Amino acid sequence: MADNKKDNVSEAKKENTNYNPQEVESRWYQYWTDKGLFHSEPDGREPFTVVIPPPNVTGVLHMGHVLNETIQDVLVRRARLEGKNACWVPGTDHASIATEAKVIKRLKEQGINKQDLTREEFLKHAWDWTDEHGGIILKQLRKLGCSCDWDRTAFTMDETRSRAVIKVFVDLYKKGLIYKGLRMVNWDPERQTALSDEEVIYHEEHSKFYYLKYRVAESDGMSLPVGEGVYKDEKGYYCVVATTRPETIFGDIAVCINPKEEKNQWLRGKHVVVPGVGREIPIIEDRYVEIGFGTGCLKVTPAHDVNDYALGQTHNLRAIDIFTADAHLNMDTVEEELQANVRKYHGMDRFECRKQIVEDLQAMGLVEKIEDYDNKVGYSERTNVPIEPRLSLQWFLKMQHFADIALPPVMNDEIVFYPAKYKNTYKNWLENIKDWCISRQLWWGHRIPAWYDKALLDEVGAEKYPQEKIVVCEGNPNEGLSEERYVQDEGALDTWFSSWLWPISLFDGIEHPDNKELAYYYPTADLVTGPDIIFFWVARMIMAGYEYTGKMPFKHVYFTGIVRDKLGRKMSKSLGNSPDPLDLIERYGADGVRMGILLSAPAGNDILYDDSLCEQGRNFCNKIWNCFRMLKGLQTADIEAPRTDRETVTWFTLCLCKAEQEVDDLMKKYRLSEALMAVYKLFTDEFSGWYLEMIKPAYGSPIAKKTYDCSMLFFERMLRLLHPFMPFITEELYHALSEREDGDTIMREDRMEWDSTALLAQDTDGGFWQEIEHVKQVVAGVRNIRAQHNISPREEITLISPKPLSELVNKLTHSKVEVGGKRPAMVATFIVGTSEYAVPLNEFIDVEAERKKLEADLAHQEGFLRGVEAKLGNEKFMAHAKPEVVEMERKKQHDALERITAIKARLEALNG
RNA sequence: GGGCGUUUAGCUCAGCUGGUUUAGAGCAUCUGCCCUACAAGCAGAGGGUCCGCGGUUCGAAUCCGUGAACGCCCACCA
């Protein structure tokens, strides 16, 4: 019953006292963009540039973006308030492989196969898809309040960016840094393209180790010894080769042993027969084979393993590629005389074939044993399909040069990483850099500007085509020719080959390196991104930056953590633990969501997201809203402000100045969540909890105009402090606070008069500050007594104080202060600093309980005193410690003694 | 196999070059309150062998060594 009533009252109140963000947010975003407040043009002010890490063009907003973009917006908005010319450039990424996959999937749903389309037809579909689904995410960013300069919205495959990419490719080729070559690359059989090393993700897996019998060729197997490592059965001698990938035996070209390994010496110079295949292959020797691992016999399959390929190179072995591009078995490459043995596997999927071949070999008695084995398998980052090492003709960028120019600036903090620990990761990668495979067998992307002489290509084929006959140029070499003499490379470039130019190409700095925008906006200020793309993107931007502008691309890099659910799991579609940010904004307001995500997000730390964080944000908005309502509702009068108002205003001025400094300091260190927390505490505790209660006039009475004006000023200051974090509610209240001119905004440079010295003049010795801080503690003490003794807040009490107190105490505790008055027997006491206060009680107190409490307190104080005195009595301490430390200990001793005296007196009174 | 990082209240984290009233914050918890700004609120309270062990020091959450647990990155052991 009672509960129901309670709910009803609350429900009824909710109607008109809660802040309602929805309407406010759309209205102000419209206003900001209508007035062009996010747009930037070069001018005389200091620039503050941020380029967005471009989300996939067809992506949708997820919690990771919310974190990332909120941080950027906070930095940008703060810079704007500081009077800098802030420019946050938005855009999207063409995301070559991801987008192409999506387009293929859609085409499939429509019954169309990519293979049946020409490149041009496919690209038309891809652009249609992009136009249809592209940029949704940019619209969603507006809901979050992101203050991007939308006039500058770019796309990594728009004209300017494309020209930059092609120009850079040609330039690097001319510098001899790009080459084409036949290499073992990471092949994604699903998308049928090469990948860079960074796009391969290794997973630990429980797999099997298959021990296969390779029989010694008959010609070699006449009279052999018996001993350790020598295997023999009724059919003759054999060696055992352990492999995790039995399906690759069709490409076996040798078995390798370590020349130092005793037990395999008998195999030297012999030949063995690949089981089930029938190919006779030599035993080769190489120290690469680790002694003691497996059987010491390694099958060499140069076409399907990186190491085997290297072995093949040194031992001059041929490579038999037994897979098609989509990782099905291709037996056409196997020798004709062996076709009968292997034909049945033709066309099988690699994993299906693995099962089959093992079964068949077992039937033939060619499997020695099968063991469980844990190993690492590489997966394609994009398609999540196991990578197939594959020999193919690809384009590479030589990286040593870039590593050389990109390492020093980070190590010596010209470019500062937050948190700094990622410097190690960065260093480690650069010091072990490998060439970057930049070509992809995709259509959606920047097509490689390399051209081949058609006739020559037909004649010699791609693999034999001489490097020096490749034409690399920005234009079309067929231009002006009567016939199509040159054909263009079919490949496209890795997406990151355009992303790495982003901070430069956004300002058209590749094509026009001398342009005034680049000169003004570049280097950019801060880059905010996840540590997962430190190699993909951050490192490479630094490389491109120095290569093409001679300068760093950004001064600071802020690495965010990963957003996880409250159980610490990564957010993923399959787990269904990822909330929809738009839904959250609907429920808590954008400001609430921003605060929620920021509160527990120190740089580089994963954040455990929980709705309750947004709730806290929403509640804070409500708090601000209600403070405003209260202030606005006050009646003012042209009366002199009471002394308590002057004390309070002066005290709060100091609070505010301190908080502003603190926020400033924290922001410089990129400790955003702490900065926000500082503002939160200032607003909630000091302003709402204390200040407003202190200046609140008696019921029905007006407030002094001057006090009111100061309060409004404070409020506006706090709105500004808060604006970068919570842009909507602060703009709303900025306008509600007083009449503003059309086009005015809280975002304009902070020109507010803020002469705190005038206010502080009343308090030259800081006496007010100390007084109020003391008052707060006395008030807390009285409240405590009320709570403990169940005294209603409406009941007036007497407070016996050793010294006169500010009127504020009466006001906030509803008490009558008596200075040094005589104490009745029944009192409750508390100590602030070294002063003891007493509140007479009507009821009988529990003497026993009171004594216990006092005795516990006494024990604590005495323990404390002993610790202090031990130090002061220690000669070495007195000799070594700094004078101010000793002084502090003396003060501690003095205070402790006073408190002990007071407690003892109180105990005696209790007893007596 | 290398490298890096973390370990402080139930949870998320501050605590910088050792000394600031015998360790702080927010959230959560418990108790009492709808008192005309706010119950999405207010007031109060409880809660910690600062991962273990050893060392340096007058003094250690803080510095050094060592062990453990967890996390991340890199690496070709088939």
Side-chain angles (χ1 to χ4, degrees):
Chain A
M1 256 325 239
D3 279 359
N4 274 342
K5 194 180 162 197
K6 193 172 172 180
D7 282 354
N8 288 340
V9 176
S10 311
E11 285 304 320
K13 281 191 161 187
K14 266 181 198 170
E15 292 303 314
N16 46 19
T17 61
N18 287 340
Y19 170 63
N20 178 8
Q22 277 70 34
E23 180 268 339
V24 169
E25 292 179 357
S26 53
R27 178 156 44 82
W28 287 115
Y29 205 90
Q30 191 65 44
Y31 179 88
W32 291 330
T33 45
D34 284 352
K35 307 282 179 196
L37 295 171
F38 301 152
H39 182 63
S40 166
E41 289 292 330
D43 61 21
R45 292 175 292 165
E46 182 187 338
F48 183 90
T49 318
V50 172
V51 299
I52 202 168
N56 289 2
V57 63
T58 60
V60 289
L61 197 68
H62 59 63
M63 292 307 286
H65 295 122
V66 171
L67 172 66
N68 199 273
E69 314 304 346
T70 300
I71 291 169
Q72 289 172 76
D73 198 46
V74 170
L75 298 173
V76 167
R77 284 181 183 269
R78 191 163 163 91
R80 218 174 261 132
L81 285 178
E82 284 170 348
K84 292 176 188 158
N85 184 352
C87 181
W88 183 10
V89 190
T92 48
D93 190 79
H94 66 284
S96 184
I97 188 164
T99 307
E100 180 149 336
K102 283 185 192 170
V103 175
I104 288 172
K105 190 174 162 220
R106 179 163 84 159
L107 286 173
K108 211 172 215 169
E109 283 162 12
Q110 299 170 355
I112 305 171
N113 273 325
K114 181 190 166 191
Q115 288 80 1
D116 301 335
L117 297 176
T118 64
R119 187 183 190 110
E120 284 64 35
E121 286 165 344
F122 178 82
L123 284 177
K124 174 146 192 333
H125 284 290
W127 277 109
D128 286 350
W129 165 267
T130 302
D131 293 339
E132 214 176 298
H133 298 264
I136 290 177
I137 193 163
L138 298 183
K139 298 219 167 58
Q140 296 176 321
L141 290 182
R142 292 164 162 91
K143 290 254 186 277
L144 234 200
C146 295
S147 58
C148 304
D149 184 349
W150 299 109
D151 299 342
R152 294 177 178 273
T153 305
F155 178 47
T156 53
M157 227 164 72
D158 61 21
E159 270 195 43
T160 307
R161 265 48 66 179
S162 295
R163 279 199 305 268
V165 166
I166 299 307
K167 187 170 175 186
V168 163
F169 184 95
V170 173
D171 177 66
L172 293 174
Y173 183 80
K174 285 190 181 139
K175 286 173 175 162
L177 291 169
I178 285 180
Y179 62 91
K180 191 181 188 188
L182 187 68
R183 298 291 134 94
M184 187 63 82
V185 296
N186 307 296
W187 186 261
D188 178 337
E190 166 80 26
R191 198 72 304 119
Q192 301 184 32
T193 176
L195 299 176
S196 68
D197 295 341
E198 289 71 33
E199 284 165 297
V200 182
I201 299 174
Y202 289 89
H203 295 302
E204 187 83 35
E205 274 192 5
H206 303 297
S207 42
K208 301 278 181 200
F209 220 5
Y210 303 91
Y211 289 76
L212 309 180
K213 296 179 175 181
Y214 283 56
R215 296 200 171 279
V216 175
E218 278 174 29
S219 50
D220 293 333
M222 287 301 124
S223 54
L224 287 163
V226 178
E228 200 218 341
V230 183
Y231 295 84
K232 191 181 182 213
D233 60 15
E234 66 283 359
K235 287 185 184 156
Y237 290 94
Y238 62 94
C239 71
V240 175
V241 172
T243 180
T244 52
R245 301 206 58 196
E247 72 278 16
T248 63
I249 59 172
F250 306 108
D252 282 2
I253 215 69
V255 166
C256 189
I257 58 170
N258 190 311
K260 292 264 164 64
E261 184 148 22
E262 288 294 324
K263 68 176 184 190
N264 288 327
Q265 291 299 311
W266 66 281
L267 285 166
R268 294 184 92 155
K270 304 271 183 309
H271 288 75
V272 292
V273 178
V274 183
V277 179
R279 179 182 302 130
E280 208 173 292
I281 57 175
I283 299 284
I284 60 167
E285 296 170 47
D286 196 290
R287 299 181 54 187
Y288 162 74
V289 178
E290 189 182 322
I291 296 176
F293 184 85
T295 58
C297 298
L298 170 73
K299 74 187 203 65
V300 183
T301 321
H304 300 294
D305 184 279
V306 200
N307 304 304
D308 292 14
Y309 180 68
L311 273 176
Q313 297 280 74
T314 44
H315 295 269
N316 222 352
L317 304 169
R318 69 196 165 106
I320 303 177
D321 186 345
I322 51 119
F323 286 128
T324 57
D326 60 350
H328 283 64
L329 275 291
N330 174 17
M331 296 291 99
D332 294 342
T333 52
V334 173
E335 302 88 327
E336 222 183 307
E337 65 270 25
L338 303 176
Q339 283 289 332
N341 300 336
V342 301
R343 203 63 213 170
K344 68 176 284 201
Y345 305 103
H346 188 75
M348 272 189 187
D349 170 80
R350 52 187 163 157
F351 299 112
E352 191 189 329
C353 176
R354 180 180 301 176
K355 265 176 92 189
Q356 190 61 52
I357 186 84
V358 170
E359 234 170 71
D360 294 348
L361 292 178
Q362 275 176 317
M364 286 186 266
L366 291 170
V367 178
E368 179 82 7
K369 60 176 172 176
I370 301 174
E371 282 181 351
D372 288 331
Y373 186 68
D374 290 345
N375 67 338
K376 292 221 168 162
V377 179
Y379 282 78
S380 164
E381 192 215 12
R382 282 293 148 199
T383 62
N384 208 27
V385 160
I387 287 298
E388 199 57 59
R390 186 168 204 242
L391 262 182
S392 81
L393 205 51
Q394 302 290 344
W395 290 89
F396 294 87
L397 177 60
K398 291 185 189 173
M399 294 300 274
Q400 194 55 53
H401 159 69
F402 291 103
D404 291 343
I405 59 175
L407 185 57
V410 170
M411 295 322 288
N412 63 27
D413 288 330
E414 280 167 51
I415 299 173
V416 190
F417 281 10
Y418 298 88
K421 66 175 175 183
Y422 288 112
K423 280 165 77 175
N424 288 318
T425 312
Y426 181 82
K427 181 169 178 239
N428 188 51
W429 187 68
L430 286 182
E431 285 179 344
N432 298 288
I433 198 89
K434 288 191 212 119
D435 287 355
W436 175 13
C437 176
I438 53 173
S439 48
R440 297 289 179 275
Q441 285 58 55
L442 300 167
W443 282 343
W444 179 246
H446 302 281
R447 192 167 178 180
I448 295 171
W451 303 77
Y452 307 88
D453 185 301
K454 213 177 188 172
L456 183 59
L457 188 66
D458 288 345
E459 190 191 324
V460 300
E463 287 192 22
K464 296 261 168 63
Y465 194 94
Q467 182 105 201
E468 66 277 8
K469 295 272 183 179
I470 301 175
V471 179
V472 172
C473 61
E474 287 176 55
N476 183 342
N478 289 314
E479 206 106 321
L481 300 178
S482 54
E483 26 122 57
E484 291 274 303
R485 189 171 152 199
Y486 296 99
V487 289
Q488 189 171 4
D489 196 294
E490 285 297 323
L493 288 162
D494 181 6
T495 301
W496 301 102
F497 196 85
S498 57
S499 317
W500 77 327
L501 306 174
W502 191 240
I504 309 171
S505 64
L506 280 178
F507 303 106
D508 201 11
I510 296 293
E511 272 206 294
H512 303 101
D514 295 324
N515 84 71
K516 113 176 174 256
E517 290 232 322
L518 188 76
Y520 184 75
Y521 290 115
Y522 187 97
T524 68
D526 300 340
L527 178 78
V528 180
T529 190
D532 51 330
I533 51 175
I534 185 168
F535 309 135
F536 280 117
W537 197 42
V538 179
R540 288 172 184 159
M541 278 192 286
I542 295 173
M543 295 170 173
Y546 284 100
E547 182 73 13
Y548 286 100
T549 69
K551 288 184 218 156
M552 62 183 79
F554 29 71
K555 298 172 195 120
H556 312 276
V557 184
Y558 180 114
F559 289 107
T560 66
I562 297 166
V563 183
R564 298 170 179 278
D565 67 10
K566 67 174 169 185
L567 299 173
R569 300 173 305 183
K570 262 191 193 176
M571 291 198 164
S572 73
K573 268 188 200 156
S574 51
L575 276 175
N577 60 349
S578 179
D580 174 8
L582 295 184
D583 178 48
L584 292 179
I585 290 172
E586 187 67 31
R587 274 153 60 202
Y588 301 108
D591 289 332
V593 173
R594 289 166 66 113
M595 176 156 170
I597 203 87
L598 280 174
L599 267 184
S600 64
N605 276 25
D606 285 0
I607 86 157
L608 301 190
Y609 172 80
D610 184 57
D611 282 358
S612 69
L613 292 166
C614 293
E615 225 169 274
Q616 200 186 341
R618 177 200 60 184
N619 294 354
F620 185 41
C621 287
N622 209 40
K623 185 87 198 167
I624 299 166
W625 178 251
N626 279 301
C627 278
F628 169 76
R629 286 179 54 231
M630 187 259 172
L631 270 178
K632 256 309 194 201
L634 291 172
Q635 298 294 312
T636 62
D638 222 347
I639 51 174
E640 198 189 332
R643 182 188 153 88
T644 53
D645 278 12
R646 296 205 306 276
E647 289 170 346
T648 307
V649 164
T650 311
W651 163 78
F652 191 75
T653 307
L654 274 168
C655 277
L656 189 48
C657 288
K658 279 176 137 170
E660 281 176 344
Q661 267 172 30
E662 190 187 352
V663 170
D664 205 45
D665 181 56
L666 289 167
M667 290 302 293
K668 280 199 182 99
K669 295 174 180 154
Y670 292 83
R671 299 168 76 146
L672 273 58
S673 55
E674 285 174 66
L676 174 55
M677 185 49 74
V679 189
Y680 174 77
K681 283 200 269 192
L682 173 74
F683 203 102
T684 309
D685 299 344
E686 309 300 352
F687 190 71
S688 309
W690 291 108
Y691 179 84
L692 288 181
E693 295 302 321
M694 287 171 174
I695 58 140
K696 193 191 272 181
Y699 184 65
S701 313
I703 187 172
K705 181 85 171 45
K706 192 160 182 203
T707 308
Y708 180 81
D709 289 346
C710 280
S711 305
M712 293 309 243
L713 192 68
F714 291 150
F715 199 83
E716 190 170 332
R717 287 302 297 185
M718 287 191 294
L719 289 180
R720 285 181 173 276
L721 206 51
L722 201 52
H723 174 256
F725 305 99
M726 309 181 111
F728 293 108
I729 191 172
T730 48
E731 183 77 279
E732 167 76 5
L733 293 181
Y734 173 80
H735 289 265
L737 226 41
S738 60
E739 279 298 309
R740 309 284 178 184
E741 282 171 29
D742 183 44
D744 191 5
T745 168
I746 191 168
M747 293 187 295
R748 71 177 157 70
E749 185 187 346
D750 199 342
R751 276 173 276 123
M752 191 194 281
E753 290 294 319
W754 183 241
D755 189 1
S756 58
T757 51
L759 286 157
L760 293 174
Q762 305 166 52
D763 185 35
T764 42
D765 61 352
F768 281 178
W769 169 266
Q770 294 198 349
E771 188 176 339
I772 299 285
E773 288 301 317
H774 191 85
V775 162
K776 282 163 68 180
Q777 289 185 58
V778 172
V779 170
V782 174
R783 282 173 178 166
N784 195 351
I785 285 173
R786 277 190 192 274
Q788 271 169 15
H789 296 92
N790 260 323
I791 305 168
S792 154
R794 267 161 297 188
E795 186 183 335
E796 194 188 51
I797 49 130
T798 305
L799 176 65
I800 301 170
S801 166
K803 59 183 182 187
L805 284 171
S806 162
E807 290 275 311
L808 284 167
V809 174
N810 309 34
K811 188 169 174 180
L812 296 179
T813 61
H814 191 45
S815 66
K816 196 166 81 228
V817 176
E818 280 178 17
V819 178
K822 202 161 188 299
R823 285 187 194 175
M826 290 300 141
V827 289
T829 60
F830 62 93
I831 295 174
V832 174
T834 57
S835 312
E836 191 190 38
Y837 295 87
V839 176
L841 301 172
N842 293 325
E843 55 177 288
F844 285 96
I845 55 167
D846 184 341
V847 177
E848 215 26 61
E850 188 74 3
R851 180 185 294 129
K852 275 203 173 128
K853 235 172 50 196
L854 285 165
E855 276 168 354
D857 193 20
L858 184 65
H860 177 261
Q861 293 297 341
E862 284 176 338
F864 174 70
L865 182 66
R866 268 196 303 278
V868 174
E869 289 185 334
K871 279 189 192 176
L872 289 169
N874 184 326
E875 279 174 38
K876 288 186 177 169
F877 171 76
M878 300 303 280
H880 292 277
K882 281 178 273 183
E884 57 269 31
V885 173
V886 176
E887 196 42 50
M888 178 61 74
E889 293 302 315
R890 287 228 165 86
K891 171 121 173 50
K892 282 194 211 170
Q893 180 190 33
H894 173 261
D895 291 355
L897 280 170
E898 278 207 15
R899 274 183 309 237
I900 286 168
T901 313
I903 296 168
K904 278 184 174 161
R906 175 87 184 101
L907 269 171
E908 232 164 82
L910 218 53
N911 292 332

